[in-house]
Amino acid sequence: KGIDTYARLRDFRKRYYSAHYMNLVVQSRETLDTLQKWVTEIFSHIPNNGLPRPDFSHLINPFDTPEFHKVYKIIPVKEIHSLNLSWALPPQEKNYKVKPLHYISWLIGHEGSGSVLSILRKKFWALALYGGNGETGFEQNSTYSIFSISVTLTDEGLKYFYEVNYYYYSNILLYYPIEFVENICENMHLFEKEDLLTGDQLLIEYNAEIIADALNHLTPEKVNIFLLSPSHEGQCTKKEKWFGTQYCLLDIEPYWSKLWNSDFPLNPDLHLPQENKYIATDFSVKETSIHAPEYPTKIINTREGCLWYKEDNKFDMTTLPFQLMLIHFIFPLTSMVLFDTFVSILSHNLAEPAYEADVAQLEYKVMAKEHGLTIRVKGFNHKLPLLFQLIINNLSELKITPSNFQIITEQLKRSYFNYLIKTDTLAKDIRLSILEHGRWSLIEKYQTLINGISIESLTKFVGAFKSNLWIEGLVQGNFTQNESKEFMNYVSGKLQFRPLIHPCPIQFRVMELPNSHILCKVKSLHVGDANTDVTVYYQTGAKKLKDYTLTELLVMHMEEPCFDFLRTKNTLGYHVYPATRNTSGILGFSVTVTTQATKYNSEYVDKKIEEFFAHFEEKLRNLSEEEFLAQV
């Protein structure tokens, strides 16, 4: 179009890159005099154009356009069905003391009993949701604020996306009655002086009128609807000009538009959140012994399993991490896929009843590992046993219906696929498949799931899993030994399992790589994606803790020169990093570069990484004592 991009960029810089528009925050252990000296030396040369600060207040209602309040059908790259509802509100920055969108997002994003998500899950229409404002420059600025609701739909939910909208409007009607210094620096533009440290965190004031005003903008006549699904293939004739995303633009169907704008009755299944039984009220710290062991000790050792215990004699905190592993040896490929399905259904069943625990700052994870099920809970010790018992109860009484079996296998299939089409995660899976003996690759799991599994085989697998187990757990923090033993006793009493015949400890086996150059090249599974992930991995073997620490220190020294050599000087890619690799106890390190195949081939990038190692070796040889101690 004849535009001189460089000249335009220089003009933009002259107008907006000016010292009197900027704030500066510095955090350091150095003295104030030293900091002042550094700041003066480094920043005093920033130009000041003397022009008035830019004012964008005239750009009101930027979304007041015929293209808004429509239904956009979009074909995504990932295998996902997603419904996104968006509203453009007046700018909310001035209301930072009240934070009206925080209240609204918490109510709309509620996942417990009486919530929209609870109803949609029971109908098998949705799996997850997010509602709120990301507080980024795009979603919240001086001209508007965006409020959005994103719902992950099932295949069935996609057919009823208008009905899903209806439930959310019913829900809204129910309510009518870098980082610390970076955040401070940004807050200096927005907040009063006394609120710079806490203004983006605390709900300083409660003002029902401001909250109601924000809520009044979330109406059906102002919504914009985005429906993402691969099933739109063949329907979307338009192309977004920057990324080539296919989409089509439709009017909202008159029936639904009329219904949403009418005085429709509230759904009787919707109600406000109930009292949260997981909120801790006892924050007392247990008395600790003076001579508590430095390392965990085994306090239970039976044929059913063992329990390790570490008393908190250092931090005096009421939070507690507890991890339990239910070991049941799983080797065949089909069994691993059934195991993933089983854990996904357990997580799905826990989502609603455990939501209140999540709100009360209790954390939990249920993970499928190669040798069994890992359960991890963490948080204030007062109500943590309630959360743990909830998980074990759901495990003991696991319900598998044809409907939730279908939606979970569909979702698992998409999760596998979406993981595989990303070059970085595909590279990780391939690396671990090569190194870890007996590990099934995600491609093999995906193919097994595509071929089909039955609900009967899953039910049989779950029964066999729960009936033969060996348990190993670790409790550390604000619990006594007797309280810790109750975790183990509850599992044994609830599951009533038989001990494994040979309860041998888990043996993780890793392939020892030959002392030669090995190349593994895999074509990306995402057709048309130019991203290329190049990882150079060095295996050093089974090492001690000191060796691991030295490797960490090596990688820390490598980070800045790696970035400078491969990204800044050779411009190979934006994503460049070294990393320590601990593969089931076998130590190593790697350097990864994500580049574009349209710009550089993988052989060239590999060559440049080797050049960096030669450059870094020379730098390491000349490392001064001061530089070494700075990282230590």
Side-chain angles (χ1 to χ4, degrees):
K1 294 183 178 179
I3 297 174
D4 188 337
T5 308
Y6 180 67
R8 291 283 294 272
L9 185 61
R10 286 186 59 84
D11 290 342
F12 183 88
R13 183 181 185 274
K14 286 179 182 177
R15 176 64 184 89
Y16 296 106
Y17 188 75
S18 181
H20 68 307
Y21 301 156
M22 301 178 185
N23 292 319
L24 175 67
V25 175
V26 180
Q27 182 181 16
S28 173
R29 294 182 179 181
E30 302 293 337
T31 65
L32 290 177
D33 289 341
T34 300
L35 289 179
Q36 184 175 351
K37 178 175 177 293
W38 288 352
V39 167
T40 303
E41 289 174 356
I42 297 169
F43 297 101
S44 61
H45 301 294
I46 293 177
N48 186 329
N49 60 26
L51 297 173
R53 180 184 292 273
D55 181 12
F56 303 102
S57 60
H58 62 289
L59 300 174
I60 302 171
N61 297 328
F63 296 99
D64 185 14
T65 164
E67 280 72 33
F68 214 72
H69 189 49
K70 299 283 186 181
V71 175
Y72 285 83
K73 290 188 175 181
I74 300 168
I75 301 175
V77 172
K78 291 184 175 181
E79 281 282 336
I80 190 172
H81 302 316
S82 177
L83 172 66
N84 298 309
L85 312 178
S86 294
W87 290 268
L89 284 69
Q92 299 295 313
E93 287 180 341
K94 63 181 182 298
N95 296 323
Y96 74 87
K97 290 186 177 182
V98 179
K99 298 181 178 61
L101 300 186
H102 282 225
Y103 289 94
I104 299 169
S105 63
W106 190 86
L107 290 168
I108 288 177
H110 177 58
E111 298 180 21
S113 174
S115 66
V116 174
L117 186 59
S118 173
I119 294 172
L120 296 180
R121 279 178 174 152
K122 288 182 175 68
K123 290 178 172 290
F124 302 105
W125 287 359
L127 297 167
L129 75 84
Y130 161 80
N133 175 285
E135 298 184 354
T136 62
F138 174 75
E139 293 189 40
Q140 182 149 293
N141 51 54
S142 60
T143 60
Y144 65 86
S145 292
I146 293 288
F147 189 89
S148 59
I149 299 171
S150 179
V151 188
T152 303
L153 300 173
T154 64
D155 286 353
E156 192 70 10
L158 181 66
K159 301 174 187 175
Y160 295 99
F161 79 93
Y162 274 118
E163 283 83 350
V164 174
N165 278 266
Y166 170 77
Y167 278 108
Y168 275 99
Y169 299 140
S170 298
N171 191 37
I172 291 169
L173 286 176
L174 187 67
Y175 309 129
Y176 276 133
I178 146 166
E179 294 186 7
F180 181 63
V181 293
E182 183 180 334
N183 289 342
I184 296 174
C185 200
E186 184 177 344
N187 294 346
M188 289 168 72
H189 287 286
L190 310 173
F191 303 157
E192 295 173 14
K193 188 175 181 179
E194 62 271 20
D195 300 325
L196 291 180
L197 299 182
T198 60
D200 61 340
Q201 300 293 325
L202 300 183
L203 300 172
I204 300 169
E205 297 175 359
Y206 177 77
N207 189 314
E209 291 182 3
I210 290 177
I211 297 170
D213 180 67
L215 194 59
N216 286 335
H217 289 278
L218 306 185
T219 59
E221 62 267 19
K222 293 183 178 181
V223 72
N224 208 36
I225 301 171
F226 299 91
L227 191 62
L228 287 75
S229 174
S231 65
H232 299 326
E233 193 75 51
Q235 304 174 37
C236 300
T237 56
K238 295 179 180 291
K239 264 194 177 183
E240 190 273 331
K241 68 176 182 177
W242 301 110
F243 295 100
T245 303
Q246 291 179 274
Y247 72 98
C248 57
L249 182 64
L250 306 170
D251 289 326
I252 296 173
E253 290 184 8
Y255 169 81
W256 291 105
S257 184
K258 183 179 179 181
L259 176 64
W260 297 339
N261 287 288
S262 67
D263 188 19
F264 55 82
L266 295 180
N267 189 299
D269 294 327
L270 291 171
H271 58 76
L272 291 169
Q274 297 171 336
E275 184 178 352
N276 191 336
K277 65 181 179 182
Y278 293 99
I279 295 176
T281 56
D282 181 1
F283 298 99
S284 58
V285 178
K286 312 280 185 184
E287 289 187 17
T288 57
S289 56
I290 299 173
H291 303 293
E294 184 179 358
Y295 302 107
T297 56
K298 193 181 290 187
I299 60 173
I300 291 180
N301 189 20
T302 67
R303 289 184 64 242
E304 293 179 333
C306 65
L307 181 67
W308 299 81
Y309 173 74
K310 175 66 177 77
E311 184 180 9
D312 176 20
N313 59 348
K314 183 175 182 179
F315 297 106
D316 289 335
M317 296 174 65
T318 57
T319 55
L320 166 95
F322 169 57
Q323 180 164 308
L324 186 78
M325 189 163 190
L326 307 182
I327 297 171
H328 177 102
F329 295 110
I330 305 161
F331 296 114
L333 175 58
T334 303
S335 295
M336 286 303 302
V337 174
L338 290 169
F339 188 37
D340 284 348
T341 309
F342 156 45
V343 175
S344 297
I345 290 175
L346 176 60
S347 300
H348 177 79
N349 292 352
L350 280 169
E352 182 178 325
Y355 175 74
E356 290 180 340
D358 180 64
V359 172
Q361 301 297 300
L362 301 182
E363 303 172 22
Y364 77 95
K365 283 187 177 180
V366 180
M367 296 168 285
K369 298 290 186 178
E370 279 71 15
H371 296 284
L373 177 69
T374 296
I375 299 171
R376 185 180 298 160
V377 292
K378 180 181 178 182
F380 297 116
N381 64 283
H382 182 207
K383 298 296 180 75
L384 202 63
L386 283 180
L387 174 59
F388 180 76
Q389 290 165 16
L390 174 70
I391 296 170
I392 299 302
N393 292 346
N394 273 266
L395 174 62
S396 172
E397 302 154 13
L398 187 73
K399 296 175 182 176
I400 306 174
T401 66
S403 295
N404 69 2
F405 173 77
Q406 182 182 352
I407 66 167
I408 291 302
T409 50
E410 286 173 4
Q411 187 63 19
L412 188 60
K413 202 179 299 179
R414 292 192 186 102
S415 297
Y416 285 165
F417 179 84
N418 292 336
Y419 193 95
L420 289 169
I421 63 172
K422 295 172 64 177
T423 55
D424 57 338
T425 49
L426 175 62
K428 176 185 175 182
D429 185 64
I430 291 170
R431 174 171 55 84
L432 293 178
S433 298
I434 292 171
L435 292 174
E436 293 186 341
H437 178 76
R439 178 189 177 98
W440 297 105
S441 73
L442 211 56
I443 295 176
E444 292 170 308
K445 287 184 177 182
Y446 179 66
Q447 190 60 56
T448 300
L449 199 54
I450 288 291
N451 293 338
I453 57 175
S454 67
I455 190 171
E456 291 78 19
S457 61
L458 178 62
T459 304
K460 183 179 178 181
F461 171 83
V462 173
F465 180 92
K466 292 193 295 184
S467 62
N468 292 275
L469 293 170
W470 192 78
I471 302 175
E472 185 166 18
L474 168 65
V475 178
Q476 51 184 344
N478 196 37
F479 270 128
T480 65
Q481 283 200 27
N482 287 335
E483 289 170 336
S484 301
K485 291 176 181 178
E486 288 303 312
F487 285 101
M488 195 75 142
N489 294 336
Y490 192 84
V491 178
S492 301
K494 196 70 181 175
L495 296 184
Q496 294 291 314
F497 59 90
R498 294 188 300 274
L500 293 179
I501 298 174
H502 301 291
C504 58
I506 295 174
Q507 296 292 325
F508 291 105
R509 298 170 64 191
V510 178
M511 301 294 291
E512 183 179 2
L513 298 179
N515 191 20
S516 61
H517 183 265
I518 301 171
L519 178 65
C520 175
K521 293 183 73 173
V522 177
K523 191 173 183 180
S524 171
L525 301 179
H526 181 194
V527 179
D529 183 9
N531 284 317
T532 301
D533 197 83
V534 181
T535 297
V536 176
Y537 168 79
Y538 288 88
Q539 187 183 74
T540 56
K543 301 293 182 179
K544 296 181 180 179
L545 181 60
K546 181 180 178 180
D547 301 301
Y548 182 86
T549 306
L550 288 171
T551 305
E552 285 275 281
L553 187 59
L554 174 71
V555 169
M556 286 177 66
H557 278 282
M558 199 183 288
E559 283 175 354
E560 190 278 329
C562 177
F563 190 87
D564 178 63
F565 186 89
L566 296 173
R567 178 186 163 182
T568 306
K569 291 178 179 173
N570 285 279
T571 63
L572 295 180
Y574 187 80
H575 205 45
V576 174
Y577 62 93
T580 303
R581 300 293 185 186
N582 182 359
T583 309
S584 300
I586 302 302
L587 198 58
F589 68 91
S590 66
V591 168
T592 298
V593 175
T594 301
T595 189
Q596 296 285 308
T598 51
K599 190 175 181 182
Y600 301 112
N601 61 39
S602 57
E603 289 83 3
Y604 179 79
V605 176
D606 181 34
K607 178 184 173 184
K608 286 296 178 182
I609 292 176
E610 294 300 333
E611 285 181 19
F612 161 71
F613 281 128
H615 164 79
F616 179 68
E617 183 179 2
E618 183 66 24
K619 184 179 177 66
L620 210 56
R621 292 183 189 278
N622 299 318
L623 190 69
S624 69
E625 184 74 13
E626 184 181 358
E627 289 173 319
F628 172 76
L629 292 174
Q631 292 289 6
V632 173

